[in-house]
Amino acid sequence: MRAATASTVAVMTTGLARRTVLAAGRPAPHGPKLPGVRKSPLSTDETPTPWDDVTSYNNFYEFAGSDNKDLPSELAPANLVTKPWNVVVEGACKRTGTYSLERVLDGQTLEERIYRHRCVEGWSMVIPWVGLPLADFIARCQPTANARYIAFDSHYDRTRMPRSRRLPFDWPYTEGLRMDEAMHPLTILAVGLYGETLPHQNGAPIRLVVPWKYGFKSIKSIVRLSFLENQPVGTYQQQEPPSYGFYANVNPAVDHPLWSQATERRIGDFFRRDTSLFNGYGNHVASLYAGMDLMKDY
Ligand code: MTE
């Protein structure tokens, strides 16, 4: 087991891992259905976690710090301004520039992807996302041969996210993937939930979803994509490298220094259940990591 550190993320998430009750956040109001959403064979047939839980029990540290699941649903709707929204594309690709959200979505057929969602803190949900394959957008950006990784930045507004200052993070929140992970068919840019527009607390208007990795890789409210030659360092990894590696693949055999990852609490369940390697998506993604030592490259 890796050595325990006393750094911020670990200490502040210890209590969360043991939480059994839902925080009383404010579930998002329902809106109109997104048009033309297609079902996907990549969806699980497990029962989705209810809308009210998915939209009131959230991690969005910019709004809440790390210890409060209910505050994102209370603060994000008023303080996250999603219109207009632009995503800057930069680095090793031919089509750099500023893409409006409308341009990102132009000509795309949205798909429903019902995925398991496993937080590093030890809770999980089943979420019916709506989105588009990240691979489709990457193809439009035309990465060059130098693009081996892709990094993402979240939107950050210090004045509208005052609680973020309680954390010693180097904002904005950032994350990264290897290009083959980013191009994998399971990896999506989500713009909706339950067939409706993505609520602010869930990372509106556009976020990443990588279902075989711990939830912190699924960065919210994306404003920048950078194609890189070298491996980027994400916010969690930068904050506490011994606990959070670059890959962050769900792995019940690799404990967090302060808690076991062998089991998880599905929100709504009383008993914990076993956690599966790659969050149960091993038949799709294990080959991406062939030859790697998953106990070291976590
Ligand atoms: N993205 C940003 N920008 N800020 C965050 O605090 N939290 C991460 C991830 N993406 C986070 C983020 C973590 S720890 C998890 S588990 C998921 O978002 C939570 O997504 P949800 O609130 O939609 O369930």
Side-chain angles (χ1 to χ4, degrees), residues 126-159:
V126 175
I127 304 187
W129 304 106
V130 173
L132 54 134
L134 175 58
D136 288 1
F137 185 64
I138 290 177
R140 285 164 58 196
C141 300
Q142 299 185 15
T144 65
N146 289 337
R148 297 176 54 228
Y149 296 91
I150 180 166
F152 307 83
D153 288 0
S154 283
H155 165 74
Y156 183 58
D157 180 340
R158 205 166 180 265
T159 52

Side-chain angles (χ1 to χ4, degrees), residues 89-267:
V89 173
E90 62 179 23
C93 73
K94 289 188 188 145
R95 294 274 166 88
T96 54
T98 300
Y99 291 67
S100 65
L101 182 65
E102 293 72 24
R103 196 170 150 211
V104 173
L105 298 179
D106 189 34
Q108 294 290 326
T109 303
L110 295 178
E111 288 180 36
E112 181 182 65
R113 299 286 185 96
I114 308 173
Y115 284 161
R116 290 178 290 278
H117 176 63
R118 168 63 156 86
C119 179
V120 75
E121 296 162 355
W123 54 267
S124 64
M125 297 192 189
V126 175
I127 304 187
W129 304 106
V130 173
L132 54 134
L134 175 58
D136 288 1
F137 185 64
I138 290 177
R140 285 164 58 196
C141 300
Q142 299 185 15
T144 65
N146 289 337
R148 297 176 54 228
Y149 296 91
I150 180 166
F152 307 83
D153 288 0
S154 283
H155 165 74
Y156 183 58
D157 180 340
R158 205 166 180 265
T159 52
R160 286 177 172 266
M161 299 166 162
R163 284 170 182 269
S164 65
R165 290 183 238 162
R166 297 179 183 185
L167 291 169
F169 290 1
D170 185 13
W171 302 103
Y173 192 106
T174 60
E175 259 310 334
L177 296 173
R178 226 169 51 190
M179 278 301 277
D180 57 349
E181 299 177 316
M183 299 289 288
H184 192 279
L186 284 172
T187 306
I188 60 167
L189 288 170
V191 295
L193 264 190
Y194 272 98
E196 301 180 20
T197 302
L198 199 60
H200 290 67
Q201 52 267 42
N202 294 95
I206 185 160
R207 71 173 292 171
L208 186 69
V209 177
V210 195
W212 70 94
K213 294 178 179 284
Y214 289 117
F216 70 84
K217 295 294 283 187
S218 292
I219 183 171
K220 296 180 169 184
S221 307
I222 296 169
V223 292
R224 185 180 304 271
L225 263 75
S226 313
F227 292 95
L228 304 174
E229 193 162 358
N230 297 317
Q231 188 172 293
V233 178
T235 294
Y236 268 60
Q237 191 189 359
Q238 183 185 50
Q239 189 61 31
E240 195 183 314
S243 306
Y244 303 105
F246 172 77
Y247 287 99
N249 292 319
V250 174
N251 189 340
V254 178
D255 292 338
H256 185 280
L258 297 180
W259 60 85
S260 162
Q261 295 290 21
T263 64
E264 67 199 57
R265 186 180 311 286
R266 177 75 49 89
I267 295 300

